[in-house]
Amino acid sequence: MSPVSARLPVFPWDRLEPYKATAAAHPDGIVDLSVGTPVDPVPELVRAALADAADSPGYPTVWGTAALRDALTGWVERRLGAASVKHTQVLPVVGSKELVASLPAQLGLGPGDRVAFPRLAYPTYEVGARLAGAEPVPYDARAFADGVAGTGLDPDGLKLLWLNSPSNPTGQVLSKDELRTAVAWAREHGVLLVSDECYLELGWETDPVSVLHPEISGGSFDGLVAVHSLSKRSNLAGYRAAFLAGDEAVLGELLKIRKHGGMMVPAPVQAATVAALGDDKHVAEQHERYERRRAALRSALEGHGFRIDHSEASLYLWATRDEPCWETVGALAELGILVAPGEFYGPAGERHVRVAFTATDERVAAAVRRLAG
């Protein structure tokens, strides 16, 4: 029996360990801007909801409580602009990474099938294709900028098309025209379009739009699924709280499979999700924190000779000094600052680094001082 891991690329983050050790040796300690994990407190109302639901001795359901489904449909209507969303058009999942990594397999894809994702992208899109035995197909992020005829994508054998707007790692946001073109192209060729929108509420220079918005979808969810997460907007990465919204036929099939697999969001996390989606105040407060940190780091990086590309949304600055990314990683590690090499997100990122602004105010201030130094 051959190991499934043999299908996968080498786990990239292990290569960062020597640079992490260098950064950690700084007299004032490491400033870790590499991963982008939330560090701010979980909102009190979310913790209270989790605690109130702690006495949950029975099995939760895969599709979630009625209260959770009400919260999901209500949020999709309020925040994404969709209308009359049904319970059958939402589905809770155990964190968005689990979903991304397993979706091609859950859809029944395998050898002979193809999965497309942006050339600069979250590595898990490729991992999901390889786990299923499907062929990964990178494409240019702006493939849909020139209309349907200009995509350059070969629809032959293509079963799944990933969009990611706002992008990880670049922070790039697709325009309404690009989203409409992508939806039209996917529907024309019978390709399922899945849009990873986990950073949708973290726009800085633009207001990102969901593929489920009526101006994009034409008022129909057919052939469309959007992926959303509470990890970033509500500091719930540790809760593994995420959900899907979109085509009820696709979600219905996933529901059947996930029932057999016991892929259930824990009952206390379901209750916490209801509380988080029902409150916009904590989202606005967290947005303000990130906006301050982003502005401080951007100014410091530009003063240190960096150029910031894209980065109009998400939790990252896509930075370059027009040199190989590992040279940049090494130079910043000497300052005690750890960043992610752009190469982790595809060969097209080999001259950029991804700088997260999820560190505490104190650590961000330390990085700013060192860059100015």
Side-chain angles (χ1 to χ4, degrees), residues 90-324:
V90 293
L91 182 65
V93 295
V94 191
S96 59
K97 185 170 185 175
E98 171 265 311
L99 185 281
V100 172
S102 64
L103 182 61
Q106 290 184 48
L107 292 171
L109 304 189
D113 296 322
R114 300 164 73 233
V115 176
F117 51 87
R119 193 172 302 281
L120 268 171
Y122 185 44
T124 313
Y125 304 131
E126 178 180 356
V127 166
R130 293 188 179 280
L131 283 173
E135 178 188 352
V137 180
Y139 69 89
D140 290 332
R142 285 263 131 100
F144 300 100
D146 298 321
V148 172
T151 63
L153 275 170
D154 180 0
D156 185 39
L158 190 64
K159 299 296 178 63
L160 172 60
L161 171 66
W162 281 105
L163 298 185
N164 180 211
S165 176
S167 164
N168 174 15
T170 68
Q172 191 173 43
V173 175
L174 298 180
S175 69
K176 287 183 178 180
D177 284 343
E178 287 174 303
L179 291 172
R180 277 191 287 265
T181 298
V183 169
W185 186 90
R187 285 174 170 167
E188 177 187 349
H189 295 290
V191 177
L192 177 65
L193 188 156
V194 183
S195 180
D196 182 347
E197 301 175 352
C198 290
Y199 296 93
L200 192 84
E201 293 190 281
L202 293 161
W204 312 111
E205 299 166 14
T206 188
D207 187 16
V209 178
S210 171
V211 293
L212 301 185
H213 191 285
E215 291 183 14
I216 309 302
S217 68
S220 168
F221 288 178
D222 290 351
L224 307 177
V225 174
V227 183
H228 285 274
S229 168
L230 282 76
S231 293
K232 313 299 186 183
R233 73 184 293 280
S234 299
N235 300 330
L236 297 189
Y239 283 46
R240 312 313 301 133
F243 64 94
L244 307 178
D247 190 322
E248 63 183 325
V250 175
L251 268 54
E253 179 64 16
L254 292 176
L255 174 60
K256 293 176 184 176
I257 293 164
R258 296 174 74 83
K259 284 181 179 179
H260 281 290
M263 300 176 187
M264 301 172 285
V265 175
V269 174
Q270 292 189 28
T273 300
V274 172
L277 291 178
D279 177 70
D280 293 332
K281 182 181 177 182
H282 78 274
V283 179
E285 291 173 350
Q286 189 61 44
H287 195 280
E288 289 175 4
R289 291 188 192 107
Y290 285 143
E291 191 166 27
R292 290 196 305 270
R293 294 167 186 167
R294 176 183 183 272
L297 281 171
R298 178 167 194 154
S299 177
L301 286 166
E302 289 175 336
H304 199 74
F306 282 88
R307 184 182 76 245
I308 306 300
D309 291 333
H310 309 304
S311 306
E312 57 260 35
S314 84
L315 290 177
Y316 313 106
L317 294 168
W318 189 235
T320 181
R321 295 197 301 193
D322 289 318
E323 65 186 7

Side-chain angles (χ1 to χ4, degrees), residues 67-105:
L68 175 60
R69 283 173 280 150
D70 282 344
L72 296 178
T73 56
W75 186 87
V76 171
E77 290 176 354
R78 185 179 82 252
R79 184 61 186 86
L80 303 187
S84 303
V85 182
K86 299 180 290 186
H87 280 189
T88 51
Q89 294 174 311
V90 293
L91 182 65
V93 295
V94 191
S96 59
K97 185 170 185 175
E98 171 265 311
L99 185 281
V100 172
S102 64
L103 182 61

